[in-house]
Amino acid sequence: MPEISERTTIKKSFRKLLYYLKSQDFIGYDPHDALNSPILKSLFGRNHFSALLVVQLFRRSPVNFRPIFGVKKGINPKSYGLFLSAFTKLHDTDFFEADIAQKFANWLAENRTNGYQHSCWGYHFDWPNRDFYAKAGTPTVVNTVFIGHSLLDYYRITNEEKWLNIAVSAANFILNDLNIIQQDKGICFSYTPFDHRCVHNANLLAAGYLARVSHFREEIKYCEFAKQAMSYSISQQRSDGSWLYGASQRDKWIDHFHTAFNLLAIYEYLKTIHDTEAQKALEAGYAYYCNNLFEDCIPKYFPNKLYPVDIHSIATAVITLLTLPYEQEKNKKQAMQLLIWAVENMRAVNGAFYYQKHKFYTNKNIYMRWGQAWMFLALATYLSTT
């Protein structure tokens, strides 16, 4: 009986979040969108360091200064991809809304990044980070992979060749437009067409996506490149089962949601490609994930640090626990408990979810991609698998 009650709570939370999203037309702020302010961009946007500083200040501030500085709510392509994947998961349920799913698919098809032969997507804001400064629209492998998966999901339920063609085109973007960094063992795909950064979640996401595309288009190149990318990142797995974020000296950290992305990407790859080493890596990574990145079922931000409890980590934890083929009954229960905790501790009255819970305060900013889209997908995953 308690589980029936909790499932009812989760259903109500899903409906309330959907009502909020519709009221906002699925448009909102992002943690990294400070430079969409004309004022801030003119003052700080020309220098990498100052641009990074102002973006991080806005990301960390518990007060949302965006309306004051003229930052407008916008459409993040990645959020539309996540919303589309969520609705396709709900295709056989009463929660599915065909017209909204089609709206997302159409928008993604019409708003690919210009200037590239193949389908790709970026962010709708300038994104300065530790290693490079990506201008608005710069395509990234991460955005392109998540959106590509959503279009494959949509193709699966519509059987319309258009969506498959765009998804395959996204795979060709990975092979033809990203930099391919040769390594002692395998290759690493760059994050954007303009950098040579080796980031494991990005590389593994590319490998998983190429493997999945090979299931639809039997071209050997997709599997070959997927295997080479997988080989490199597996070779970089540490003895305890973890991965550092990337190869650079500035990327020597481990966090919850990027570890989850690694695991989900390897599992996606293994659905198509038999690879004993990848299977061992997934098992070791899963053990590390469970033993080091949770505290009383709550996802820790870093292995040695619970706070801030981030809504993005909560969502990816739920999706990971429900997706990986391990300890399924135990993980379903933990995913349910985690969703209930989020509803009780990080949900606003309007149904949206807050950004972060710190030890002594809660950052109540509401972000469309980072929080709402990921939680919508997490709730949809739970409702479609339990």
Side-chain angles (χ1 to χ4, degrees):
M1 292 301 293
E3 288 193 9
I4 294 173
S5 174
E6 288 167 331
R7 184 174 173 81
T8 300
T9 298
I10 292 170
K11 284 183 177 180
K12 289 180 178 178
S13 179
F14 176 86
R15 291 192 177 99
K16 195 163 187 177
L17 177 57
L18 179 56
Y19 182 82
Y20 168 80
L21 294 171
K22 288 179 177 179
S23 75
Q24 301 297 306
D25 199 22
F26 297 88
I27 296 173
Y29 294 122
D30 191 275
H32 301 92
D33 64 4
L35 293 176
N36 275 356
S37 161
I39 300 170
L40 296 175
K41 188 169 184 177
S42 65
L43 291 174
F44 304 103
R46 296 178 183 177
N47 176 272
H48 189 167
F49 177 78
S50 63
L52 178 60
L53 179 63
V54 75
V55 167
Q56 289 302 312
L57 285 173
F58 270 62
R59 182 181 75 84
R60 295 170 186 270
S61 173
V63 179
N64 185 11
F65 293 108
R66 290 168 180 79
I68 298 173
F69 285 90
V71 178
K72 296 181 179 178
K73 294 181 179 181
I75 298 175
N76 191 312
K78 187 175 175 181
S79 67
Y80 269 27
L82 296 172
F83 288 134
L84 179 58
S85 285
F87 274 111
T88 60
K89 285 181 179 294
L90 299 168
H91 180 245
D92 295 324
T93 74
D94 295 335
F95 300 105
F96 180 65
E97 297 192 36
D99 56 333
I100 298 181
Q102 186 170 17
K103 167 190 171 179
F104 294 137
N106 288 339
W107 190 94
L108 291 167
E110 294 165 3
N111 289 275
R112 289 169 276 183
T113 297
N114 293 325
Y116 292 86
Q117 179 182 355
H118 306 293
S119 299
C120 53
W121 296 265
Y123 292 121
H124 67 294
F125 46 77
D126 286 4
W127 178 43
N129 59 71
R130 294 171 186 236
D131 279 320
F132 56 83
Y133 189 159
K135 295 293 185 179
T138 300
T140 75
V141 62
V142 173
N143 279 21
T144 299
V145 163
F146 278 111
I147 292 167
H149 276 304
S150 75
L151 294 170
L152 288 175
D153 295 338
Y154 194 56
Y155 168 71
R156 181 176 53 82
I157 67 172
T158 63
N159 291 316
E160 293 181 26
E161 200 74 12
K162 170 184 178 179
W163 310 117
L164 176 59
N165 291 336
I166 298 174
V168 172
S169 179
N172 291 329
F173 164 79
I174 294 171
L175 297 184
N176 293 285
D177 292 299
L178 294 176
N179 294 307
I180 299 176
I181 301 104
Q182 296 292 331
Q183 304 287 351
D184 291 339
K185 293 185 178 180
I187 61 171
C188 186
F189 289 105
S190 65
Y191 211 103
T192 74
F194 306 112
D195 74 281
H196 288 80
R197 191 180 188 188
C198 288
V199 174
H200 291 301
N201 82 90
N203 190 51
L204 289 168
L205 285 168
Y209 185 68
L210 292 173
R212 186 181 182 193
V213 168
S214 74
H215 179 75
F216 294 92
R217 290 283 170 86
E218 295 182 1
E219 294 186 36
I220 194 169
K221 62 181 180 180
Y222 298 124
C223 281
E224 288 181 341
F225 278 96
K227 289 176 181 178
Q228 290 184 64
M230 184 62 59
S231 178
Y232 167 66
S233 284
I234 287 177
S235 75
Q236 298 300 300
Q237 187 177 26
R238 304 201 301 173
S239 59
D240 62 0
S242 67
W243 283 270
L244 297 172
Y245 177 75
S248 167
Q249 287 300 316
R250 288 176 289 187
D251 292 335
K252 303 299 184 185
W253 80 85
I254 301 165
D255 65 38
H256 192 105
F257 49 85
H258 289 115
T259 300
F261 291 161
N262 291 345
L263 301 178
L264 291 168
I266 296 172
Y267 181 58
E268 186 65 54
Y269 167 89
L270 287 168
K271 289 180 183 177
T272 301
I273 298 175
H274 176 73
D275 186 328
T276 302
E277 293 304 310
Q279 184 65 53
K280 291 178 181 177
L282 179 60
E283 292 168 359
Y286 172 74
Y288 175 87
Y289 177 71
C290 293
N291 293 330
N292 295 275
L293 287 168
F294 289 92
E295 185 173 305
D296 296 329
C297 105
I298 307 302
K300 297 160 67 175
Y301 201 96
F302 298 117
N304 61 346
K305 185 179 178 182
L306 173 62
Y307 294 103
V309 179
D310 193 293
I311 197 63
H312 196 19
S313 295
I314 290 174
T316 51
V318 169
I319 294 165
T320 304
L321 292 169
L322 293 174
T323 301
L324 297 184
Y326 305 119
E327 303 176 290
Q328 291 178 325
E329 290 306 312
K330 169 182 169 290
N331 286 346
K332 284 179 182 179
K333 184 176 181 180
Q334 184 175 344
M336 179 184 67
Q337 291 172 338
L338 185 50
L339 286 172
I340 295 297
W341 186 91
V343 169
E344 293 176 346
N345 292 275
M346 295 186 70
R347 190 181 68 166
V349 174
N350 61 13
F353 288 88
Y354 298 136
Y355 176 40
Q356 291 179 336
K357 186 174 181 62
H358 294 254
K359 189 171 184 178
F360 299 111
Y361 71 95
T362 298
N363 184 325
K364 295 185 177 182
N365 288 330
I366 293 172
Y367 294 121
M368 188 58 67
R369 167 187 64 102
W370 192 267
Q372 313 326 307
W374 276 107
M375 280 301 292
F376 192 76
L377 180 56
L379 289 162
T381 302
Y382 180 84
L383 293 172
S384 63
T385 58
T386 60

